[in-house]
Amino acid sequence: MMQRNGGGVGAGGQPWVLRRVRLTWLSFMLFFILVFFPLIAHYYLTTIDEAGGPDKRIFGPRPGGELCEAKHVQDLCRIRESVSEELLQLEAKRQELNGEIVRLNLRIEACKRSIDSAKQDLLQLKNVISQTEHSYKELMAQNQPKLSLPVRLLPDKDDPGLPPPKSAHVCRLRSCFDYARCPLTSGFPVYVYDTASYPWGESLDPLVRQAFATSVKSSIYVTDNPSIACLYVVLVGELQESPSSPLPAPSALEKQLKALPYWRSDGHNHLLVHLSRKSMTQNFLYNVSTGRAAVAQSTFLEQQYREGFDLVVSPLVHALSEPNFLEVPPQVPVKRKYLFTFQGERVESLRSSLQEGPPQSFEEEMEGDPPADYDDRIIGTLKAVQDSRLDRVLVEFTCKSPQPSLPTEWALCGEREERLEVLKASTFALVISPGDGQLMASAGNGMRLFEALEVGAIPVVLGDHAKLPYHQLVHWSEAAIMVPKPRITELHFLLRSLSDNDLLAMRRQGRFLWETYFSTSENVLGTILASVRTRIQVPPAPIHEEPAQEIPHKAGKMAGTDANMGDNGDLDLGPVETEPPYASPRFLRNFTYTASDTYQTWNRAPGPFHLFPHTPLDPVLPSEAKFLGSGTGFRPIGSGTGGSGKEFQAALGGNVPREQFTVVMLTYEREEVLMNSLERLNGLPYLNKVVVVWNSPKPPSDDLLWPDIGLPIVVVRTEKNSLNNRFLPWDVVETEAILSIDDDAHLRHDEIMFGFRVWREARDRIVGFPGRFHAWDVNHQSWLYNSNYSCELSMVLTGAAFFHKYYAYLYSYVMPQAIRDMVDEYINCEDIAMNFLVSHITRKPPIKVTSRWTFRCPGCPQALSHDDSHFHERHKCINFFVKVYGYMPLLYTQFRVDSVLFKTRLPHDKTKCFKFI
């Protein structure tokens, strides 16, 4: 066993050794072949080239010419030569470019030095310009100081009093009124005594007391702080006598007045107001010493009235009621059934007049003693005119039920409704002053005057000694005819000689005076306070502006500019404003200008030239301005104030050389259309800002991105959906010019700029693009609204029109509420209402620019105007507005303003149209 194992091992180990020896040998051979064989071959080849000489080299380099003799390398030689030439050319260009770079670097350095020098020069120029602008502003501030809202100055609590006048009957403002309590910037605070605080308060007429209290609450001048008051108002009548509360004796009333807490011994700066509601009103203040207190009442005796100090006021007819416009007769036709009427009775002279024969002529009577009373002669003359039947007149000198009246005064006949029916058929209404010349004003004559103006009968006042209400402030000759009694024989001729135009103007003015100063208790109290304030030259408070409740919104990307929209052509108004939006500054009128308008503003309708009672420092309406239907057109007055261009602008404040306008855009849930319209305004010159009136109760979408047009876009939330919101005087509108535009209107920039240019020359007018007109329907005897193409127009749609912000105040706060209510009822006609208002005030038609008759954008959703009922509603609106105004204020015109180079093609049937350039 042992041998087998050992033999196996020895036999098995021998082949393993042999294999190892073989592997070693093979490795050595491979190393020798890989290392020494290449070395030996290299050495051998090198030796062969050296032994054979340079001509017999096999592997060494050969001369170029010998190598090129081979055909297969000729192409390579040509390529090498071409590459060599290109390399030489590139090298030359590289050297040339390096030289150019060196020269350009030198020029860059020179330019940098020039830029630094130019920057220094520019900085110096900016400093010079800044210094020049500063010097210019200083000079302007010295020569034209910019006015702002004045600081309110209030009187001292301690009243030092005034030196006593020689007599209370010779009181005038200069001697009996303490101006120290009424600084020009005081705001005219008025303290009104509570009627329950003095003894005779229980004897006041309940209706008068209630109407007075209601009017006091609505006045912006009334204050509860008596220590700062400028004026103290005491209601002293009308008193009602009853067994339980008899009228106080004059001496007792005098003591009660002196016992008032702020009477201060003489009653200076007090106003005793006596409002008459009846034709028979006792003048119980006649024997009462009122000291330095002024008296405002309807009845005055000559020895009682203090000229320039006391006030003749109108009676309080409508104590708690408002006038109904639909019951007021229209102002046309001008001539009515009767030429003139008079109904009255005077007991003292009536019987003698009827019993005596026909009166002698004035010449015969003047040969003797002059007549003391002309009433008898007036009766005879008027009867003779009635009997002649040349004109239809109505005169009655006996009454079935005469109203109580003062001695020598003509008593009113019948009830008020009966008298109004007669006056509605009268062209003129006679108002005969009392026969007693000492009775210069009476409540009975005030009633006659009130009723005549109310129904449009032109008053004819017989007697030059009569004092009409507010005669020092109201120019009655524009609304009434004043005839001395000795001219009674010429009265008929005088009334027949007046033209229809003059009659209509007087009737409009009379209705304006009635509606503004006499119609309601608020008007009566406001007029009394305005009279005192005007006399002491305190400017009125500015009217309230509509606060804008802004809706936050997100601005998106910068809006693009359409080439067609931005092409302004040659219509630039001057250098385009490069600064941020610049508002037309307010308060540029001074006190002198304000005081100079006092006469005009009291005697004119609320037109753009006459802001009544007079223009305040703020270029808006005074708060006591009232307007209930009519007025008269502008006619130049002797002072020369007013006008349609710069004068109109100067009358309202503003800055002409540097002026912009505000776009007011009304919208209702048309976001895509609105965004497109806003984008089209990008780049529009002279645009101050855009006010979007959001007329929908639902707010804009949260993800809505508004275009960035480089100007403020103010989105205003409204209380309700109303088309009247278009004309609200928003406080965010800081410019005089307003471009009212619909959200779907499509106007080019050059058209807008041209319209703005025209408006600047006619600021009192509506200047717009689409024209419309009214027409009379003979078959139905009513007015129609027409939008057909025509040579004439009387309206301009406010969906694309310029107007002054002044008219926004008139439309929202002064125009009759009935008109705004109808606009809300139909959701229509707001543009017609604005045209009625402006034409009524200015007595001028609007101005149409360009030949554009529509402005709707293509592809926009349908508007309300496409509804079938749209035109029927507008017909109704026109006829209703005519009833409210009493006449048709719209005026026709063929005037149209176009650019000088503008041409339009007219159809053959329109060749008679005229275009003014």
Side-chain angles (χ1 to χ4, degrees), residues 740-805:
S740 175
I741 190 169
D742 287 342
D743 57 359
D744 58 353
H746 193 278
L747 295 173
R748 301 192 309 272
H749 286 187
D750 63 304
E751 292 176 317
I752 296 176
M753 291 183 62
F754 183 70
F756 181 50
R757 178 183 180 183
V758 174
W759 177 87
R760 287 183 54 161
E761 299 297 329
R763 296 168 179 265
D764 58 329
R765 318 270 282 274
I766 299 178
V767 177
F769 299 88
R772 301 293 185 265
F773 66 96
H774 66 289
W776 178 252
D777 186 355
V778 179
N779 297 328
H780 297 87
Q781 293 295 299
S782 62
W783 294 102
L784 296 177
Y785 171 84
N786 201 316
S787 63
N788 296 330
Y789 290 87
S790 173
C791 297
E792 291 186 326
L793 61 100
S794 60
M795 293 175 282
V796 167
L797 300 186
T798 55
F802 286 93
F803 63 90
H804 201 284
K805 189 181 179 182

Side-chain angles (χ1 to χ4, degrees), residues 325-332 336 424 454-456 511 883 886:
F325 294 102
L326 298 181
E327 295 180 358
V328 177
Q331 299 185 34
V332 290
R336 299 176 177 177
K424 289 179 181 179
E454 181 178 5
V455 297
R511 184 171 174 179
K883 290 183 179 179

Side-chain angles (χ1 to χ4, degrees), residues 425-438:
S426 306
T427 305
F428 298 95
L430 299 186
V431 180
I432 305 177
S433 58
D436 185 4
Q438 299 297 322

Side-chain angles (χ1 to χ4, degrees), residues 152 187-193 212-213 215-225 228-229 231 233 525 529:
R152 187 179 185 186
F188 192 60
V190 177
Y191 178 78
V192 180
Y193 285 92
F212 183 78
S215 303
V216 167
K217 293 180 181 179
S218 63
S219 177
I220 65 171
Y221 296 107
V222 174
T223 179
D224 296 332
N225 187 1
I228 66 171
L231 184 69
V233 178
L525 178 61
L529 297 181

